[in-house]
Amino acid sequence: MSVRTGVPSMKRIAEAHDRPRFKCWRCNDGATRLERAHAVPSMLGGSDSDPSNYALLCPQCHVDAPDILDGKAFWRWVEHGSVVVEMWDSFRSSALLEATAIKGEDWVVAQFDNMYRMAIFDATGLHEGINPATRSWAMYSAARIVLAMAAPTPATQW
Ligand SMILES: [Zn+2]
């Protein structure tokens, strides 16, 4: 049995989401041939057969999309693109500043390094390398954990 047997058609994916079939869901480009992009990659346990686990993206947006375990974050990126990446980056900066104020820089640098590595290996797809959105999400996730370790009841919420 072929691995791709259960991959849904573009039509089924568009119908499952009630979204257009011929325009990129991220950038609205209708000129290029769309691709099926997993919300949660199959190597991280995402379904290959469920049409709701796919977005239709142009090749450039598919390359730029975060390749991560967090399906909600993927869909937020599809809706808002670079704005979401900026929010992840800004959360990371303030969370690390807050943690540094509590635990000091050496502690934060060491913990962040560990947590970032864990996020990359456990929660991102490595097959196509780490693109900027994937890296930003992994750093955001690591910073969330570091802040939770430094301050069990964090002042910063997002
Ligand atoms: Zn696009």
Side-chain angles (χ1 to χ4, degrees):
M1 191 174 90
S2 156
V3 180
R4 296 183 66 84
T5 298
V7 175
S9 66
M10 303 257 201
K11 187 167 181 281
R12 280 194 61 211
I13 294 168
E15 284 169 0
H17 293 270
D18 196 21
R19 294 186 79 141
R21 195 176 143 197
F22 301 107
K23 278 204 294 190
C24 173
W25 295 1
R26 162 82 282 281
C27 73
N28 284 320
D29 178 17
T32 48
R33 188 180 165 79
L34 300 183
E35 299 177 353
R36 283 169 284 219
H38 282 88
V40 178
S42 42
M43 70 172 293
L44 295 173
S47 172
D48 283 325
S49 57
D50 180 357
S52 70
N53 192 41
Y54 289 91
L56 299 183
L57 300 179
C58 71
Q60 185 59 55
C61 288
H62 196 177
V63 166
D64 293 343
D67 191 16
I68 58 181
L69 182 62
D70 184 346
K72 273 190 195 163
F74 172 87
W75 289 111
R76 228 178 270 141
W77 179 88
V78 169
E79 294 302 327
H80 306 292
S82 61
V83 173
V84 170
V85 175
E86 283 161 25
M87 285 175 87
W88 289 336
D89 290 347
S90 134
F91 176 92
R92 183 201 69 229
S93 300
S94 58
L96 293 182
L97 277 175
E98 201 173 324
T100 301
I102 299 164
K103 291 281 194 178
E105 191 175 348
D106 290 348
W107 184 90
V108 168
V109 167
Q111 298 299 333
F112 180 74
D113 199 50
N114 283 338
M115 293 306 155
Y116 174 67
R117 240 177 283 209
M118 280 176 61
I120 288 291
F121 284 103
D122 295 345
T124 71
L126 291 163
H127 59 296
E128 284 169 21
I130 303 297
N131 66 21
T134 302
R135 186 181 309 115
S136 169
W137 177 85
M139 292 198 292
Y140 156 74
S141 299
R144 275 178 67 164
I145 296 168
V146 170
L147 179 58
M149 289 164 72
T153 312
T156 306
Q157 300 274 356
W158 184 68

